[in-house]
Amino acid sequence: MKLPVSTEWLLHCAASLAQLDAGATASAAQLAAYYDLPAAYLAKQLQSLVRAGVLTATTGPRGGFRLGRPASEITLLQIVEAVDGGSSPYECREIRQQGRGALPAAQCREPCILAAKMAEAHEAWRRTLAATSLADIIATLPASTPRRTRARLTGRP
Amino acid sequence: MKLPVSTEWLLHCAASLAQLDAGATASAAQLAAYYDLPAAYLAKQLQSLVRAGVLTATTGPRGGFRLGRPASEITLLQIVEAVDGGSSPYECREIRQQGRGALPAAQCREPCILAAKMAEAHEAWRRTLAATSLADIIATLPASTPRRTRARLTGRP
Ligand code: FES
Ligand code: FES
């Protein structure tokens, strides 16, 4: 199982936008230059964060992207699931109900124990990512980082 | 991110083999008929469990597959990683070190906090699956199940 390569891009872009001053924005081109990423593809991916409410897109000459809500209310899980969708990597096709060993439907009202364990593992993964917000990430950075980020990303310190 | 469809097949095949009497085996054809799965593709996938030591393959007229070690020593994680490999779904390509925002290498001796959080989530997933053995799974089945499994899988009750 693999997450899209753009997962890393969007985690980093969101973390960078979390370091801008209130109301400031950065364009897809600025974010692409900041991380040396393909601008058109990145722009498309940023839209998935807009749809998820993680980012807001503003238009006009100074338009661009900014956080759609406070950094403390944006979790890593929201970003990852905006990129990859929220479905579990494990798909149960109810093979217990097919073939020579097929169980009668009456015995399959509860989820299969194997499917239940796989779902439990996915929930543990989700819980870990839901426990960290962008504000938590920013709090771990050296104090000088946000100023540097703003200057290199937007040209305005 | 998606696990291969065969993950469900192999979890179930291993759980079924865990219900056989000591020394008994089932062939790939028997397992395929039991779950109505494509026999040739299933046989190939079963080999990945053999390579991981989860199963042992015996040859000869009564040959087939059986567990490679006690059911209590085979975890769901071992089966899933035999099918899918053990690598994390998240790949960090160190984008913090590229582009206009590139951090100097000296500031990148520690793993990036975002990569570290993604690794933590993968470890939580792995820990959940490592905490359940095939013996735990079998212990949740109704008492009459193993006899039925043996009869339908191998024709010998
Ligand atoms: S029937 Fe799907 S995991 Fe058991
Ligand atoms: S550099 Fe890869 S996750 Fe931060």
Side-chain angles (χ1 to χ4, degrees):
Chain A
M1 56 181 178
K2 281 287 158 219
L3 286 165
V5 169
S6 56
T7 311
E8 186 188 19
W9 306 357
L10 293 182
L11 284 169
H12 268 279
C13 286
S16 290
L17 292 173
Q19 297 170 53
L20 298 185
D21 293 315
T25 64
S27 66
Q30 285 173 325
L31 287 161
Y34 188 83
Y35 290 116
D36 191 19
L37 299 173
Y41 187 43
L42 177 64
K44 214 180 125 191
Q45 299 289 301
L46 287 165
Q47 290 301 335
S48 62
L49 291 189
V50 172
R51 279 191 298 274
V54 169
L55 301 185
T56 299
T58 59
T59 49
R62 307 221 75 184
F65 297 91
R66 54 180 169 76
L67 297 192
R69 46 183 185 262
S72 59
E73 291 170 24
I74 297 173
T75 69
L76 300 190
L77 182 66
Q78 290 161 356
I79 297 169
V80 171
E81 293 198 334
V83 184
D84 189 53
S87 66
S88 167
Y90 183 72
E91 202 185 339
C92 167
R93 300 191 175 185
E94 288 288 329
I95 69 168
R96 63 179 173 169
Q97 296 194 54
Q98 64 188 40
R100 189 181 293 169
L103 291 173
Q107 280 177 45
C108 298
R109 296 217 184 91
E110 300 288 317
C112 170
I113 176 78
L114 292 166
K117 287 288 170 189
M118 295 303 292
E120 204 181 291
H122 186 54
E123 272 315 304
W125 183 85
R126 296 185 78 244
R127 254 196 319 274
T128 308
L129 296 181
T132 302
S133 72
L134 282 183
D136 298 330
I137 296 293
I138 302 308
T140 68
L141 301 178
S144 61
T145 297
R147 193 187 161 83
R148 179 185 188 275
T149 302
R150 287 195 291 272
R152 298 215 174 190
L153 180 56
T154 66
R156 284 162 272 147
Chain B
M1 57 182 178
K2 280 288 158 218
L3 286 164
V5 169
S6 57
T7 310
E8 185 188 19
W9 307 357
L10 294 181
L11 284 169
H12 268 280
C13 285
S16 290
L17 293 172
Q19 297 171 54
L20 297 185
D21 293 315
T25 63
S27 67
Q30 285 173 325
L31 287 162
Y34 188 83
Y35 289 114
D36 191 20
L37 300 173
Y41 186 43
L42 177 63
K44 214 180 124 193
Q45 299 290 300
L46 287 164
Q47 290 302 334
S48 64
L49 291 190
V50 172
R51 279 192 298 275
V54 170
L55 302 185
T56 299
T58 60
T59 49
R62 308 220 75 185
F65 297 90
R66 55 180 169 76
L67 296 192
R69 48 183 184 262
S72 59
E73 293 170 23
I74 296 173
T75 68
L76 300 190
L77 182 67
Q78 290 161 357
I79 298 169
V80 171
E81 293 199 335
V83 184
D84 189 52
S87 66
S88 166
Y90 183 74
E91 203 184 336
C92 167
R93 301 191 174 185
E94 289 288 330
I95 69 169
R96 64 180 172 169
Q97 296 193 54
Q98 65 189 38
R100 189 180 295 169
L103 291 173
Q107 281 177 44
C108 298
R109 296 218 184 89
E110 300 288 318
C112 169
I113 177 76
L114 292 166
K117 288 288 170 188
M118 294 303 293
E120 202 182 293
H122 186 55
E123 273 315 304
W125 183 86
R126 295 185 78 244
R127 256 196 319 275
T128 308
L129 296 181
T132 302
S133 71
L134 282 183
D136 298 330
I137 296 292
I138 304 307
T140 68
L141 302 177
S144 60
T145 297
R147 191 186 163 83
R148 178 186 189 274
T149 302
R150 288 194 290 274
R152 299 215 173 190
L153 181 55
T154 68
R156 284 163 270 146

